[in-house]
Amino acid sequence: NGLPMATQKGFRIEHVVGQGRIMRASRRYEPGDTVLREPPCLTWPHDDAEQLISSFMCASADVQAAVLDMAAPDADAGLSCIVSDHARMEAVAERAARSAERSSLAARMAEAYDGPRAADLFEHLLLIGDINAHAFGKRAGLFPIAAKANHSCSPNCGHSTRVGGEMHYFATCTIEAGDEIVISYLDQLWSTTREERRRVLLAQKLFYCTCPRCSRADSGGGGRPPLEEIEPDSRGGERTAPQQLARAECAAAGCAEECATLGLCSPHAPCEASLCAVSVHSVSSQACSCE
């Protein structure tokens, strides 16, 4: 089969010096608007990385090309940004351990194939899976177009793979034409400190986060969010960024009532969107673009 087609492409992919490829809106989006729907080009059981290799070897040439075009950062990517020697050594050790796992698995699988370059290819594919995969149910998948969206700890776009493994990007705030479309690669986004977020991203996604939220005074780990993360709600109170996200998830799912603080449309009807949004972890759970 050929490369699955994505829909709702109101954006373009650009190359920006110092950032690599980014996803930029070419139209205005309101909260809850669909930005992208994309089926996976490859899927495999999330606890069986060998199936990623098998799926790739059986895929069409255009699927293989799209997968090989996905982000695969160098082993030392982002390390020079770490000021603390101890933190840098921890990051190096974590990466080395995971790299050794990939190398061992790739070498074992390459024994069944001819040619000395099979192990190098398989190790590269396992790195692509580590950096780019999203989980849905008991499977993981690769989404080449969705993977072009960069990370921000203050994302303007949410994502979910609730329906048959199809990736769904939806606006969580107003996105103007010309704005970069950014998602979060993290699960615990609003309850963690800048240092915690950067440590996880360095270990799992191989980059040092310099998003606007991380570049200003840290607001994680409790306390009142900064003013730019608060907006008035319809009852005259305030809605923080996590509540804005839950509200947008409900809007994208077509819920009739406004989300409450915990993302529930009513005490008796929990919103499927907020409960089923994809979690972000490592090889089996999150797509990204660290390019």
Side-chain angles (χ1 to χ4, degrees):
N1 294 329
L3 189 66
M5 296 298 293
T7 58
Q8 310 285 33
K9 285 186 60 177
F11 55 84
R12 59 186 181 274
I13 306 300
E14 297 181 356
H15 188 277
V16 177
V17 176
Q19 288 185 267
R21 288 177 292 189
I22 69 170
M23 184 180 290
R24 192 180 300 282
S26 56
R27 48 154 284 196
R28 177 186 172 97
Y29 290 98
E30 299 295 341
D33 285 352
T34 293
V35 175
L36 169 70
R37 290 188 183 275
E38 181 184 12
C41 70
L42 289 182
T43 71
W44 64 96
H46 66 69
D47 58 352
D48 188 359
E50 292 187 26
Q51 291 297 317
L52 164 60
I53 306 298
S54 301
S55 297
F56 176 86
M57 297 302 289
C58 295
S60 64
D62 57 346
V63 167
Q64 291 183 346
V67 170
L68 292 174
D69 189 49
M70 298 176 80
D74 294 333
D76 61 351
L79 294 178
S80 62
C81 299
I82 306 176
V83 176
S84 166
D85 291 338
H86 177 71
R88 188 184 307 108
M89 291 175 61
E90 283 189 337
V92 169
E94 287 186 67
R95 292 186 185 188
R98 179 55 190 156
S99 179
E101 292 176 5
R102 288 194 298 264
S103 296
S104 176
L105 177 57
R108 179 163 57 83
M109 292 197 66
E111 294 174 356
Y113 294 84
D114 294 327
R117 300 189 63 185
D120 291 340
L121 171 62
F122 295 167
E123 186 172 357
H124 185 71
L125 289 171
L126 291 171
L127 174 60
I128 288 173
D130 272 0
I131 299 300
N132 295 279
H134 283 263
F136 54 96
K138 296 182 179 181
R139 300 187 68 80
L142 292 176
F143 304 81
I145 297 177
K148 301 301 187 292
N150 282 317
H151 167 83
S152 174
C153 295
S154 296
N156 57 18
C157 201
H159 60 289
S160 171
T161 49
R162 297 191 309 121
V163 183
E166 180 183 67
M167 177 59 66
H168 177 203
Y169 278 12
F170 53 91
T172 57
C173 62
T174 300
I175 303 175
E176 300 290 352
D179 289 349
E180 182 180 0
I181 295 171
V182 287
I183 65 170
S184 172
Y185 301 168
L186 296 171
D187 188 13
Q188 302 297 325
L189 178 61
W190 301 106
S191 61
T192 52
T193 66
R194 174 176 54 191
E195 286 69 27
E196 290 169 331
R197 297 192 302 272
R198 282 176 167 170
R199 180 186 60 78
V200 172
L201 291 168
L202 273 167
Q204 296 183 0
K205 304 303 177 185
L206 309 190
F207 74 93
Y208 184 84
C209 187
T210 57
C211 75
R213 184 179 172 202
C214 286
S215 297
R216 65 173 180 252
D218 187 31
S219 62
R224 180 181 176 84
L227 291 178
E228 56 266 43
E229 292 182 3
I230 297 176
E231 70 169 19
D233 69 13
S234 59
R235 294 174 296 277
E238 294 178 335
R239 181 184 292 113
T240 61
Q243 294 163 359
Q244 295 175 46
L245 177 59
R247 183 188 186 197
E249 288 174 339
C250 286
C255 300
E257 300 180 46
E258 182 176 325
C259 291
T261 300
L262 297 180
L264 304 180
C265 296
S266 75
H268 308 291
C271 172
E272 291 186 3
S274 60
L275 296 179
C276 299
V278 68
S279 296
V280 182
H281 294 296
S282 54
V283 57
S284 65
S285 47
Q286 181 58 29
C288 72
S289 172
C290 308
E291 303 154 280

